[in-house]
Amino acid sequence: MPELPEVEVSRLGIAPHVEQHTMSQFIVRNPNLRWPVDARLTQLLKNALITHTSRRGKYLILHVKCVNDVRGVLMIHLGMSGSLRIVTHDTAVQKHDHIDWVFASHRLRYRDPRRFGSVLWHDETEGDYLLHPRLATLGIEPFDEAFDGGYFYERAAKRSQAIKVVLLGGEIVVGVGNIYASEVLFDSKIHPATPANQLTRRECNIIAKHVKKVLSAAIARGGSTLKDFVHSDGSSGYFQLEAHVYDRANLPCLMCKTPIEHIIQAQRATYFCPHCQPERPNK
């Protein structure tokens, strides 16, 4: 599943090709995504200008000004297998290519084999898009200046779930997906089953620091090599190639040579080093 770094890499990849560009058409071949694509958009977005792009959590946001002065945003979620690519007008349409944004010299194409993604419209007359039901409950952005160890400690203290599960939940901080949560906890030397409310302030400082560090590194390296994720130019990310623990069950830890262990938490695979990340005694 594309996570925050992959979405940000996608945004950075498409931004030069869509920002301050006018769409001549918005083509929907299959509206049946996780939520149906609004049928009105093919007419509403004709000759509309994309003023800029942004991101909130795993939603990529296109800010749009329509010809009739209607303004709003398209909130794009890539789901399990979605991708956005810049293609030429003569690029053949494949089976799972569901939506095209058509510009003068190129197209932005949305592909989603599993159709768990979504493209939602929010009109500015409905209020701040950040208060949309899909966005309103998301945690703080990891790169927000307000996100630090104190912020994390205050909120983790109210949660008894395992820290890996809390990181995945996204209610405290968004974007720490499954790969990144395992890597953050390894770098922080914290066992993934540690109850969040047992973390010290110092440990929360360390986690917050490594959340920023790991996600920044993933964005810089182009995201993760998940099999379904591709950049806007069709190439793959490669952060996973540098993972310390993720998907390395039974292989020697790169730091201490102890075999990496693998458990399931919240139906997701967790990887850790039992020596570098010792389990603490039950309280």
Side-chain angles (χ1 to χ4, degrees), residues 107-167:
R107 300 180 180 214
L108 173 64
R109 180 162 289 171
Y110 176 75
R111 186 172 193 272
D112 190 352
R114 303 185 197 179
R115 290 190 286 115
F116 288 161
S118 60
V119 177
L120 301 173
W121 171 256
H122 179 84
D123 194 293
E124 71 170 13
T125 60
E126 299 172 347
D128 188 346
Y129 74 92
L130 292 173
L131 299 178
H132 187 281
R134 303 295 168 201
L135 306 182
T137 59
L138 297 179
I140 195 170
E141 288 286 327
F143 305 117
D144 192 309
E145 288 184 4
F147 176 63
D148 58 16
Y151 182 99
F152 193 77
Y153 177 75
E154 243 180 68
R155 289 152 181 80
K158 301 173 184 177
R159 297 172 182 267
S160 59
Q161 292 172 297
I163 181 56
K164 166 75 184 311
V165 176
V166 169
L167 285 173

Side-chain angles (χ1 to χ4, degrees), residues 41-84:
L41 293 181
T42 53
Q43 186 60 38
L44 180 65
L45 298 181
K46 188 174 182 180
N47 297 319
L49 174 72
I50 296 178
T51 60
H52 60 289
T53 64
S54 62
R55 180 192 50 73
R56 179 68 176 106
K58 293 192 286 186
Y59 282 88
L60 192 156
I61 314 295
L62 303 182
H63 298 258
V64 179
K65 178 182 178 182
C66 303
V67 292
N68 56 1
D69 284 334
V70 170
R71 290 177 179 264
V73 298
L74 286 168
M75 304 188 303
I76 303 169
H77 196 291
L78 299 178
M80 295 290 291
S81 60
S83 62
L84 292 165

Side-chain angles (χ1 to χ4, degrees), residues 32 80 102 136 156-157 171 229 231 249:
N32 299 314
M80 295 290 291
V102 182
E171 291 90 358
F229 173 65
H231 296 172

Side-chain angles (χ1 to χ4, degrees), residues 5-279:
E6 290 75 50
V7 176
E8 182 63 9
V9 167
S10 292
R11 187 192 71 79
L12 293 170
I14 70 170
H17 304 281
V18 303
E19 293 182 342
Q20 292 300 309
H21 285 261
T22 298
M23 293 177 268
S24 59
Q25 286 182 282
F26 180 73
I27 298 172
V28 180
R29 299 184 187 86
N30 186 349
N32 299 314
L33 303 181
R34 184 174 184 182
W35 298 286
V37 180
D38 192 330
R40 300 171 299 170
L41 293 181
T42 53
Q43 186 60 38
L44 180 65
L45 298 181
K46 188 174 182 180
N47 297 319
L49 174 72
I50 296 178
T51 60
H52 60 289
T53 64
S54 62
R55 180 192 50 73
R56 179 68 176 106
K58 293 192 286 186
Y59 282 88
L60 192 156
I61 314 295
L62 303 182
H63 298 258
V64 179
K65 178 182 178 182
C66 303
V67 292
N68 56 1
D69 284 334
V70 170
R71 290 177 179 264
V73 298
L74 286 168
M75 304 188 303
I76 303 169
H77 196 291
L78 299 178
M80 295 290 291
S81 60
S83 62
L84 292 165
R85 307 186 194 193
I86 302 298
V87 300
T88 59
H89 292 308
D90 60 357
T91 301
V93 175
Q94 302 297 317
K95 178 180 179 181
H96 302 296
D97 293 341
H98 304 311
I99 298 174
D100 277 9
W101 289 256
V102 182
F103 303 98
S105 62
H106 57 276
R107 300 180 180 214
L108 173 64
R109 180 162 289 171
Y110 176 75
R111 186 172 193 272
D112 190 352
R114 303 185 197 179
R115 290 190 286 115
F116 288 161
S118 60
V119 177
L120 301 173
W121 171 256
H122 179 84
D123 194 293
E124 71 170 13
T125 60
E126 299 172 347
D128 188 346
Y129 74 92
L130 292 173
L131 299 178
H132 187 281
R134 303 295 168 201
L135 306 182
T137 59
L138 297 179
I140 195 170
E141 288 286 327
F143 305 117
D144 192 309
E145 288 184 4
F147 176 63
D148 58 16
Y151 182 99
F152 193 77
Y153 177 75
E154 243 180 68
R155 289 152 181 80
K158 301 173 184 177
R159 297 172 182 267
S160 59
Q161 292 172 297
I163 181 56
K164 166 75 184 311
V165 176
V166 169
L167 285 173
L168 282 182
E171 291 90 358
I172 297 180
V173 58
V174 296
V176 191
N178 200 42
I179 293 175
Y180 306 114
S182 286
E183 294 300 305
V184 164
L185 293 175
F186 174 78
D187 288 349
S188 302
K189 308 307 177 192
I190 293 172
H191 192 283
T194 303
N197 60 6
Q198 290 185 18
L199 295 170
T200 65
R201 186 178 293 272
R202 177 180 174 277
E203 288 172 324
C204 287
N205 286 337
I206 292 170
I207 289 174
K209 180 183 79 171
H210 285 296
V211 164
K212 293 176 185 285
K213 180 180 176 182
V214 168
L215 294 182
S216 293
I219 292 169
R221 289 163 174 77
S224 299
T225 52
L226 296 172
K227 66 178 181 179
D228 293 320
F229 173 65
V230 295
H231 296 172
S232 59
D233 62 1
S235 62
S236 294
Y238 55 92
F239 176 78
Q240 189 175 326
L241 297 178
E242 299 183 3
H244 288 98
V245 290
Y246 185 81
D247 203 24
R248 299 192 69 248
N250 302 316
L251 295 176
C253 173
L254 299 177
M255 302 298 289
C256 72
K257 308 306 179 185
T258 302
I260 298 299
E261 293 189 5
H262 164 243
I263 58 174
I264 300 297
Q265 293 179 292
Q267 300 180 320
R268 304 298 299 277
T270 295
Y271 299 86
F272 65 97
C273 172
H275 179 266
C276 295
Q277 300 166 262
E279 190 168 9

